[in-house]
Amino acid sequence: MSPQPAVVLRRGDSGPAVADVCDRLIVTGDLASSWADRTAPRDTAVFDDEVERAVKSFQQRRGLIVDGVVGRSTYSVLDGARWSLGDRVLRFVPDHFLEGDDVGRLQARLVELGFTLGKVDGIHGPATDTALRSFQAAVGLTSDGILGPETLRAFDALRRSVTGGSANALREREHIRRGGFSLTGRTVVLDPGHGGSDPGVIGHGLVEAELALDLARRIEGRLTAHGVEVVFTRTGTSGGEEVDRAAFANSLDADLVLSIHSDHSAATAAHGVATFFYGHGDPGRQSPGAWSTIGEHFAELLLREVVARTGLIDCRSHPRTWPLLRRTRMPAVRLDVGYLSHPHDAEVLSDPQTRDRIAEGVVVALQRLYLGDADTARTGVLKLADLRRHIERARATGELGAPPPVMPRVAPPGTD
Ligand SMILES: [Zn+2]
């Protein structure tokens, strides 16, 4: 770091410190380079009207108080303006935070990728350090908090493939990329709700825990036929807390978790099907909060397929922070299929053929998720065979191209 001026510089001052400030104002483009030619001996450099105008121009651009005076804050921003990202190695120095435009660029990129660090202020404080380490962990680098060539390359590589999103989305994209467009070789965790001593809701002769398990088994059969490894969070007789089910899915490093429930309402008119994904806050770029973009996408695909196949009312997709959705490190979606308190819903769900159609809807939704461009085959009742043909056709015409390159493997994050 350059020494900071001990005194405030303002119009009328002169000497080498003024020349130093003017050098930086020339670099930032606020002062004409011809100014330096006119002040050959640095000792005699004068803070004149032209310099004051340049200082004000710089202050205005940088959101500083526009007073034309070079105090501590203006000097520190001016000093940092000479650094571009990559000019020096950035790291957190506890007693002397690095400052500069390069730090600001680093912060902006971290924010763009959804890492939380407070504000982009060009000061490499503890929050920036934490965000940088989280980024490194997310892309499989040593989480040392040092922005050197390796981490810079990771940023550049990501810039070509990821814009916006969140840390969570970054991990989720990696999960999708890993296996290309195929279901084969993926691990899907099916979580039939409740179980054990907890039957869930009961209505019109249906027990939620039993229905969920039955649906899960039908889904399992179809997914297994597609080469998917299916793992259940519970057996016929066991139950378990959501946090334990989430930990179990994490321990498998599964590609996706689908939790299956039904609803019940004292309001007997309530009926329909809804899906839930992890999220809270504003999904917009300004304040991303936390939002599973892949989860949301799958929740919508799943809802559409199930509604189209069952005729159940569409109760939409919703962001929630339930433990199973929040604590899982892979996309997790919960399907609430029908209200057991509603006679029509219960009748529909009692039919084994409807249950088979729901299971097929799950598989098609998954296939669409990994296909990556759901909207090119929009119908809600596409058969699996149709979808396979669609994929083959897209591959043949080059519409799909080769699967995208595999990203560095995502390391498990520490705490969220
Ligand atoms: Zn339930």
Side-chain angles (χ1 to χ4, degrees), residues 234-274:
R234 69 167 172 97
T235 63
T237 53
S238 65
E241 297 294 320
E242 278 195 25
V243 289
D244 298 324
R245 297 178 190 218
F248 176 64
N250 289 341
S251 74
L252 295 172
D253 198 20
D255 290 284
L256 189 126
V257 177
L258 174 63
S259 187
I260 304 157
H261 286 255
S262 289
D263 249 316
H264 190 282
S265 174
T268 51
H271 64 299
V273 51

Side-chain angles (χ1 to χ4, degrees), residues 112-137:
E112 189 186 46
L113 291 167
F115 294 88
T116 310
L117 51 75
K119 64 182 201 283
V120 174
D121 57 7
I123 301 170
H124 200 128
T128 302
D129 182 51
T130 303
L132 178 57
R133 287 173 191 268
S134 303
F135 167 77
Q136 289 174 320

Side-chain angles (χ1 to χ4, degrees), residues 247-374:
F248 176 64
N250 289 341
S251 74
L252 295 172
D253 198 20
D255 290 284
L256 189 126
V257 177
L258 174 63
S259 187
I260 304 157
H261 286 255
S262 289
D263 249 316
H264 190 282
S265 174
T268 51
H271 64 299
V273 51
T275 54
F276 303 90
F277 57 95
Y278 176 61
H280 65 83
D282 177 5
R285 296 289 292 277
Q286 290 302 317
S287 98
W291 203 269
S292 168
T293 50
I294 307 280
E296 180 182 23
H297 186 44
F298 180 59
E300 286 173 351
L301 291 171
L302 178 61
L303 182 71
R304 196 166 72 191
E305 298 300 334
V306 171
V307 166
R309 285 171 165 76
T310 59
L312 292 172
I313 294 294
D314 182 342
C315 295
R316 310 184 56 178
S317 299
H318 310 271
R320 289 290 184 272
T321 56
W322 295 329
L324 189 88
L325 304 179
R326 181 163 56 87
R327 289 175 176 255
T328 39
R329 286 199 296 267
M330 61 291 301
V333 165
R334 174 168 146 169
L335 168 70
D336 272 35
V337 60
Y339 280 75
L340 303 189
S341 47
H342 191 270
H344 174 72
D345 280 14
E347 190 190 330
V348 167
L349 290 169
S350 298
D351 182 354
Q353 288 186 341
T354 303
R355 296 183 187 190
D356 278 338
R357 285 199 293 274
I358 292 170
E360 187 178 73
V362 170
V363 178
V364 169
L366 265 175
Q367 187 70 74
R368 284 171 176 273
L369 176 71
Y370 293 121
L371 181 63
D373 59 346

